[in-house]
Structures are given as structure tokens and as C-alpha cells.
Amino acid sequence: KALNQDFAAWLTIEDTPIDYPVMATPEDMQYYIHRDFYGKDSASGTPFIGDYCDADSMSVLIYGHNMKNGTMFGELDEYEDEAYWKAHPLIRFDSLKEEREYEVFAAFRTRLLYEGEEGFRYYQYAGELSEEEFDEFVDQALRASSLDTGIVPEYGDQLLILSTCSYHTENGRFVVAARRKAES
């Protein structure tokens, strides 16, 4: 935080390249889409928190590039494979206040939808959610998921949503959703 006031949290998935600072710039959400931690031009950018949420929201949405060399969120789509999920079921998301652990409950391919088009807009479920919105997100994420984790988040759980580009279709996205583990 002393090096960059936009630093919001640290994201890690053990035994993967995903081990990065996460930035937050509410006045310009995509500021780090093509900038490194220090704000210098960078093709890979730096993972950043989406609109309508922050590191402490009920539903935190983080975007990162799907780099061909496997960096940033380049390995995220491996969650489509159950064996990968079993080897990497947990995500660490440490805020400035505390260390946090999340368990992956869904992973799915989707795409950005056109205005007026019907469908699941996962990116609209960031921030504070009503119980109805929460249940709607969980239901749709589980239905879309290529995984059957047996984990079903309940209202009041904090959600972590990781989003990256996917090249299976125009405007494709790959999404991994996790819920915060209860303190033991």
C-alpha cells in the first residue's frame, strides 16, 4: 500500500502462476487493464476489482487478462477440468485487514451479452446483493458450471468472482466463483 495507494488486496492460488496484487480504482475501474502495479504501460495489466464493489463487498468481482504464457489469469480456464479443481480448490484473497480463504464452487464459460439480449450477466452481481440476487447468481453459476463441487453458497457468504477473457466465442469469458470459507 505504501508503494501504490490503489493496492487493495493480494490474490493467490497455490501452485499456479496466480499470485498477484489486486488493484482498485473506483473512479476508473479499468485503469490497470494495461498498466502494471506502478501504473506503467503493460500488455498483461494487473488484476483489478470491478465496478460496484470493493475488497470487502458481499460479492467481489476481479478481472485479469488471460495471457497465452499462462501469467495473470491465463491458467484460470484450467478450472474447467475437475482434476484441476481438486488440485486447486482454494483461493487466497488477503485484504489490507485480514487473510481470507475461499473455496471454488463453480467455473464456467460465458460471454458478454448484447443490450436487450436475455441471459446470465454474471458481471452484474458485484457489490452488495439482496438475498434474491445472491440466490439468482449462485443458481445460475451452478447451472452453468462445468464442475460439480457439491458446494452451495448461502446468503451471507462472501463471494469472490474471477473473470478473464475466453476465446471459445466472440466476447467470451471464463469465470471462477468461490465462497469465503467459514473461520475455523
Side-chain angles (χ1 to χ4, degrees):
K1 189 75 173 172
L3 295 174
N4 186 329
Q5 289 299 303
D6 294 338
F7 172 75
W10 197 275
L11 181 70
T12 306
I13 302 176
E14 198 170 311
D15 297 324
T16 77
I18 299 173
D19 189 15
Y20 299 109
V22 175
M23 312 308 278
T25 51
E27 64 287 346
D28 180 6
M29 175 195 72
Q30 293 190 11
Y31 181 80
Y32 285 93
I33 196 166
H34 294 296
R35 290 184 173 93
D36 68 12
F37 177 84
Y38 300 101
K40 294 185 174 24
D41 287 347
S42 168
S44 59
T46 307
F48 58 92
I49 294 176
D51 282 335
Y52 314 114
C53 63
D54 60 38
D56 296 318
S57 295
M58 174 187 285
S59 179
V60 183
L61 177 56
I62 301 173
Y63 296 97
H65 281 299
N66 184 348
M67 302 301 290
K68 289 180 181 170
N69 65 6
T71 60
M72 294 302 150
F73 286 2
E75 202 171 290
L76 207 59
D77 56 2
E78 295 292 328
Y79 273 104
E80 208 161 35
D81 177 27
E82 188 174 340
Y84 187 89
W85 163 67
K86 286 181 177 178
H88 308 94
L90 301 176
I91 299 172
R92 292 205 53 87
F93 182 62
D94 298 335
S95 74
L96 297 171
K97 301 174 190 168
E98 62 190 346
E99 295 179 354
R100 303 173 182 171
E101 202 167 50
Y102 297 75
E103 49 192 358
V104 173
F105 70 88
F108 55 93
R109 290 179 190 226
T110 187
R111 66 180 178 81
L112 299 179
L113 300 175
Y114 296 106
E115 191 174 327
E117 184 178 11
E118 292 294 316
F120 178 33
R121 289 176 167 79
Y122 72 93
Y123 41 87
Q124 292 184 336
Y125 293 89
E128 302 312 310
L129 306 177
S130 68
E131 188 168 356
E132 181 181 351
E133 291 167 328
F134 183 94
D135 290 345
E136 197 173 274
F137 174 81
V138 169
D139 179 59
Q140 292 192 60
L142 289 172
R143 281 195 281 137
S145 184
S146 58
L147 301 175
D148 181 7
T149 66
I151 299 167
V152 180
E154 296 178 9
Y155 186 70
D157 289 342
Q158 186 186 40
L159 301 177
L160 183 66
I161 305 167
L162 307 181
S163 174
T164 194
C165 289
S166 177
Y167 304 104
H168 67 282
T169 189
E170 184 180 347
N171 291 319
R173 297 294 185 268
F174 192 81
V175 178
V176 172
R179 75 165 175 194
R180 187 169 179 184
K181 284 183 66 174
E183 303 295 319
S184 44

